Amino acid sequence: MIRHLKPRPSLWGLFSATAIGFTAVVLLGRPGELVRPYLIATKERLTFSSQLAAWLLERICDLLSALLIFAIALMEVDRSRAKVGPALQWALETGGYVAGAVGLACVATVVFMRQFSGPARKRLTDAFKALPERWRAKAEELLDSFLRGLEATKTRAGLAGIFWYSVLEWAVIVLCYVLLFRAFPALEGLRLADVLILIGFVAFGSLVQIPGIGGGVQMVAIVVFTEIFKIPLEAATGLALAIWVITFVAVVPLGVAMAVQDGLNWKKIKAMEDGYRQ
């Protein structure tokens, strides 16, 4: 996503920024997402707005992948051992329509970024003429930087690379959940389809991230375990907490260590995040 801006980026720098950024999400909630693009921009000497564009593109790819898995989960609910009541069945059907609409919006956004960024830039630049000279120059600079961050979608090779990296990323995620299912006796007998059902719902639950304590992941996992797989509430709660710790919280010690190595502390990161929110 940044190769067109930086042909030889530092993989260690990107890994460090990613570990610190995901740690910020766990500790600060979703607003901590801004930490990662800021650190990547700083380490690779790129503009922050270009990395916001790369972050947006990454989030669209992740959302499309999660929507695909969610769609598979909806289709597999009836085929697996999962049995749902009328109320939850209605929620699943409604979720399918919502997921389809969000997926179409994501695809439309990618097509727009690929095909119409030039005309959009011209229209926005014309609109900026109403601004004072100092603000107009800054706005045009930010717009150019942001659009440069999206140029990874302009070539077939760039799109193909993004697609296959997304496939690899989510294949690793599915494999991790398969191993998690094999690690807990309460989940014995569940098939790959059942794993996809859980991942599909958890992927959307992760959008709700309460600072320090998670939230959406645990709640969604508990609902899936109890309502769909009929696992007792006590066991479901323990499983949900274990999944959250392994898939989200596990990065925190590494992220904290890397932040200390980079001379960062959480007060600085919080101030950084608050500044960019404003």
Side-chain angles (χ1 to χ4, degrees):
M1 293 181 181
I2 68 171
R3 191 170 289 163
H4 62 287
L5 298 173
K6 186 92 173 193
R8 297 183 182 277
S10 167
L11 292 180
W12 177 253
L14 294 178
F15 177 78
S16 173
T18 300
I20 296 172
F22 283 143
T23 300
V25 172
V26 174
L27 298 180
L28 302 176
R30 279 302 166 193
E33 289 274 11
L34 293 173
V35 172
R36 182 161 50 106
Y38 173 82
L39 291 177
I40 292 176
T42 301
K43 289 174 179 290
E44 298 301 324
R45 294 184 174 145
L46 299 170
T47 62
F48 178 67
S49 56
S50 72
Q51 294 318 293
L52 278 182
W55 171 84
L56 173 64
L57 181 59
E58 178 198 11
R59 280 289 159 255
I60 289 174
C61 294
D62 276 345
L63 185 54
L64 283 172
S65 301
L67 286 171
L68 177 60
I69 294 178
F70 185 63
I72 295 173
L74 292 178
M75 291 187 295
E76 291 294 338
V77 165
D78 290 333
R79 299 178 188 173
S80 71
R81 58 173 262 190
K83 302 298 180 183
V84 299
L88 188 55
Q89 184 65 42
W90 176 86
L92 296 178
E93 292 173 356
T94 304
Y97 288 115
V98 173
V102 173
L104 288 175
C106 289
V107 172
T109 302
V110 173
V111 171
F112 178 84
M113 291 188 301
R114 177 178 168 82
Q115 301 293 338
F116 303 108
S117 59
R121 182 193 182 283
K122 185 177 184 307
R123 286 181 178 274
L124 288 172
T125 301
D126 291 340
F128 291 156
K129 291 180 180 178
L131 298 174
E133 178 63 29
R134 180 170 61 89
W135 292 1
R136 183 176 68 194
K138 184 63 175 176
E140 290 179 354
E141 179 185 349
L142 290 173
L143 176 62
D144 286 339
S145 178
F146 185 84
L147 292 178
R148 281 198 302 271
L150 297 175
E151 288 180 357
T153 64
K154 291 291 186 66
T155 65
R156 291 183 179 179
L159 279 176
I162 292 171
F163 172 79
W164 287 113
Y165 272 114
S166 297
V167 170
L168 176 62
E169 172 194 355
W170 282 90
V172 171
I173 292 173
V174 171
L175 177 61
C176 288
Y177 272 87
V178 168
L179 296 178
L180 277 172
F181 268 46
R182 292 188 176 183
F184 295 105
L187 300 178
E188 287 181 353
L190 296 182
R191 303 177 300 124
L192 177 61
D194 302 313
V195 177
L196 294 177
I197 290 172
L198 178 64
I199 295 175
F201 284 94
V202 166
F204 285 95
S206 65
L207 297 177
V208 181
Q209 189 73 14
I210 301 172
I213 59 175
V217 172
Q218 300 98 305
M219 295 303 299
V220 170
I222 290 172
V223 170
V224 171
F225 285 139
T226 56
E227 297 296 324
I228 297 181
F229 298 138
K230 308 304 180 185
I231 294 175
L233 178 61
E234 295 80 4
T237 303
L239 290 170
L241 289 174
I243 288 173
W244 176 65
V245 169
I246 293 171
T247 58
F248 284 86
V249 182
V251 74
V252 171
L254 178 63
V256 170
M258 289 185 167
V260 171
Q261 184 181 28
D262 286 355
L264 298 173
N265 57 50
W266 295 111
K267 184 177 180 181
K268 289 182 180 178
I269 290 176
K270 186 67 170 62
M272 174 200 315
E273 176 256 326
D274 288 340
Y276 280 109
R277 287 179 66 186
Q278 297 171 0

